[in-house]
Amino acid sequence: ELAALAEAWPLAPGVPARPPLYTRLAEIVQPLFASDRVPLSPARAVADLKAALPPGGTVFAGADLAGFWIARTFPTSDLGSVSVPAQREPGSAAWAAVNAASSGRAAIAVTTAPYDLETDDALAFAAASGIAFVLVVWGEGNVDRAADHGADLREAVASGRVRIVEVPIDWSDTDLLINVAGPIIAWGGRV
């Protein structure tokens, strides 16, 4: 019933104005998308995720600082291309990626805390079942140049197997994002 009503609803002419928050976020984040510093800005890591994601693919974030950044900065031009959980559950990003990948979608899970039993179980299940997905771990890692991260992600997605990509992240830009988008209130305000 609601769908029929929505179809009959007239569209406003022209392109709707972007909300002020969008403009303020863009002013902060767009220069960071192109930053070449290592460790990477979270925004650069998000831009690399978007660039590595094939059409129809999806990114699942953990309920952590990675999820905070992805929820606020991932360019969502494709419906369903990104998912951030409403509550904290260990391994949820990895298991969501396994589920999506088992239906044929390219899937990337991103977290700052990968080595819990649930994530390990998801990795083992996917490997044993021939399900390919990429687990990206934000925090520590060996990346000599920022461009290497994007190349590593593209190679991992194209590999057709379970892959783990670790990337060093510089969290110092988080205050910039909080000043524009507000503090973390999801997950009990903790990350």
Side-chain angles (χ1 to χ4, degrees):
E1 296 135 22
L2 187 56
L5 181 60
E7 286 179 19
W9 195 270
L11 296 176
V15 176
R18 288 192 164 137
L21 177 60
Y22 179 91
T23 302
R24 292 179 57 216
L25 281 171
E27 289 170 352
I28 297 295
V29 173
Q30 286 185 354
L32 297 174
F33 280 160
S35 172
D36 285 332
R37 75 176 193 252
V38 175
L40 275 67
S41 165
R44 172 60 188 257
V46 167
D48 290 345
L49 281 170
K50 177 64 174 176
L53 192 66
T58 187
V59 171
F60 298 93
D64 52 26
L65 275 176
F68 178 70
W69 273 92
I70 289 169
R72 285 161 176 76
T73 64
F74 190 89
T76 53
S77 53
D78 300 318
L79 187 61
S81 61
V82 65
S83 178
V84 180
Q87 59 188 11
R88 188 182 306 267
E89 285 187 44
S92 64
W95 277 111
V98 169
N99 187 46
S102 69
S103 66
R105 293 181 77 181
I108 301 172
V110 184
T111 185
T112 61
Y115 303 110
D116 54 59
L117 290 175
E118 292 81 0
T119 299
D120 286 345
D121 287 349
L123 289 165
F125 176 83
S129 303
I131 298 170
F133 84 100
V134 178
L135 176 68
V136 179
V137 182
W138 284 12
E140 304 296 323
N142 293 322
V143 174
D144 293 326
R145 299 175 312 124
D148 293 344
H149 176 246
D152 290 347
L153 282 174
R154 288 187 301 278
E155 190 274 324
V157 169
S159 74
R161 352 182 238 128
V162 173
R163 295 288 302 273
I164 299 173
V165 175
E166 294 182 339
V167 58
I169 297 292
D170 175 0
W171 298 106
S172 65
D173 295 327
T174 301
D175 286 341
L176 295 172
L177 190 60
I178 288 172
N179 289 338
V180 171
I184 300 168
I185 59 173
W187 321 305
R190 308 179 311 273
V191 288

